[in-house]
Amino acid sequence: MFCRVDVTTLKALAEPNRLRIVEALSAGPYDVGSLTKQLDMHQPQTSKHLRVLSEAGIVVAETDAQRRVYSLRPEPFQELGSWLEQISRLWGERLDRLDAVLQGLQEGASDVEASHTDRDHHQEKSP
Amino acid sequence: MTQTQIVRERGVPALRIERTFDAPVSLVWRSWTDPEILKQWWGPHDWTMSIHRFEPHPGGVWVYSMRPDAAPAADAGDPTVWGRADFVAVEVERRLEFRDRATDSAGEPHAGSEMTVEVGFVDDGGRTRLHIRTQSESQQLLEAAEAQGMVEGYVETLDRLAQRLRAGESA
């Protein structure tokens, strides 16, 4: 079957400053001010990137005593991280089935001969 | 006899699989290119696959659908899954390459489902070694991003983050 990779997540992350924000947030939650200072950006720029990340479901904001504190949502990263696991399981099962089909085809070839022999044998026995 | 080796490519969501089958190359090739055989193993267990179009030549199209054998719940809607692959390379008993993706019943692709699959067929003393490389659309996005000089080590970053986040969750 298919393993879907969330294109929204990838597109949101395919921008260097947004990726830097995500890296910074992996250390823990921050508000816009601390992120702006830490990453040496301008606050409107930080806010704009945080909005994109929030719309893509990558970060979530919580209001804590007047401050908006941003943190990462684990789900999009788990999805990306599990792609390889999913795809290797998919191929493992698919190739097991191919293996069985190949064995069947090869045994099938000799089964045909065997059943011919059986039938001949029965015919000999029948009156 | 089978041997499976799964190698994850460094830093990109691509996967290489090597596996040896106890069958000659001609038969393994037929199993990939004869739709009657292909449909017996391509789809998951307990699903029935139908192949509606199958044109194994470069530029050719392979359209298929899969239905679960179990009857769906009355209110579940149509469980049929559709897919469409485009053949990029077809070299008899040597190499196949195609782009595979899930679609709706009208053939419209589902975003993010595309995978490029490359299959190499190698004779190994009467047995067949398959080399399969699968890469997701995300890597194509990644390559596009890299071509624009955007991000380096992007997927490694994601992997690292995923690990941290998972560690955080299980803690």
Side-chain angles (χ1 to χ4, degrees):
Chain A
M1 304 281 263
F2 294 95
C3 302
R4 285 178 74 162
V5 175
D6 191 338
V7 181
T8 317
T9 308
L10 290 159
K11 282 186 177 155
L13 291 172
E15 202 284 329
N17 284 318
R18 283 202 287 272
L19 194 60
R20 286 172 63 213
I21 292 174
V22 168
E23 285 204 89
L25 289 175
S26 75
Y30 288 104
D31 65 12
V32 182
S34 336
L35 280 172
T36 302
K37 208 165 141 192
Q38 192 180 334
L39 301 174
D40 197 18
M41 287 162 60
H42 300 290
Q43 185 146 335
Q45 194 192 3
T46 317
S47 299
K48 200 187 86 188
H49 287 317
L50 282 168
R51 197 166 55 242
V52 175
L53 290 169
S54 172
E55 281 164 6
I58 295 168
V59 304
V60 64
E62 277 169 38
T63 305
D64 168 28
Q66 310 298 324
R67 294 186 316 153
R68 303 265 294 159
V69 178
Y70 291 86
S71 55
L72 293 180
R73 289 179 67 242
E75 290 84 354
F77 300 98
Q78 286 164 349
E79 277 170 34
L80 288 169
S82 65
W83 185 82
L84 281 162
E85 285 166 35
Q86 288 179 45
I87 206 80
S88 46
R89 196 175 335 120
L90 178 145
W91 275 112
E93 291 171 5
R94 179 176 283 168
L95 295 178
D96 284 347
R97 290 190 296 273
L98 171 60
D99 197 38
V101 165
L102 286 167
Q103 279 177 30
L105 286 170
Q106 294 186 103
E107 280 162 18
S110 43
D111 280 353
V112 172
E113 286 164 33
S115 67
H116 277 302
T117 316
D118 279 354
R119 200 173 51 226
D120 293 347
H121 190 62
H122 283 297
Q123 278 169 351
E124 273 170 35
K125 271 190 170 176
S126 55
Chain B
M1 182 191 286
T2 61
Q3 303 164 331
T4 307
Q5 191 197 0
I6 294 173
V7 181
R8 174 194 169 152
E9 284 187 15
R10 197 176 159 276
V12 296
L15 182 80
R16 281 176 194 278
I17 297 168
E18 227 184 271
R19 181 152 162 174
T20 302
F21 294 87
D22 201 359
V25 173
S26 56
L27 191 61
V28 177
W29 175 262
R30 238 182 77 211
S31 303
W32 280 81
T33 54
D34 177 342
E36 288 307 309
I37 304 177
L38 180 61
K39 71 183 188 189
Q40 294 173 35
W41 61 271
W42 185 262
H45 276 302
D46 304 323
W47 286 61
T48 299
M49 183 183 192
S50 307
I51 296 184
H52 309 283
R53 252 176 100 179
F54 194 79
E55 303 157 354
H57 57 77
V61 172
W62 160 20
V63 177
Y64 57 94
S65 60
M66 295 185 278
R67 279 183 70 83
D69 296 335
D75 55 350
D78 184 2
T80 307
V81 175
W82 289 80
R84 175 196 158 118
D86 294 281
F87 286 103
V88 177
V90 180
E91 296 168 32
V92 176
E93 298 187 7
R94 285 189 52 207
R95 196 170 96 85
L96 273 178
E97 182 182 339
F98 52 89
R99 286 186 217 281
D100 190 21
R101 69 195 62 76
T103 70
D104 63 18
S105 57
E108 195 57 38
H110 292 314
S113 69
E114 186 170 302
M115 290 187 279
T116 297
V117 180
E118 295 171 71
V119 191
F121 299 73
V122 180
D123 174 58
D124 181 8
R127 299 193 298 162
T128 304
R129 197 163 63 243
L130 287 186
H131 299 264
I132 301 172
R133 182 175 184 279
T134 309
Q135 77 174 46
S136 81
E137 187 179 35
S138 67
Q139 195 201 340
Q140 285 140 19
L141 284 180
L142 173 66
E143 281 168 359
E146 278 175 346
Q148 292 162 31
M150 287 169 85
V151 192
E152 242 178 75
Y154 159 74
V155 174
E156 271 137 300
T157 305
L158 296 182
D159 285 350
R160 209 161 56 237
L161 287 170
Q163 278 165 17
R164 266 190 231 169
L165 290 164
R166 272 191 213 166
E169 208 178 52
S170 58

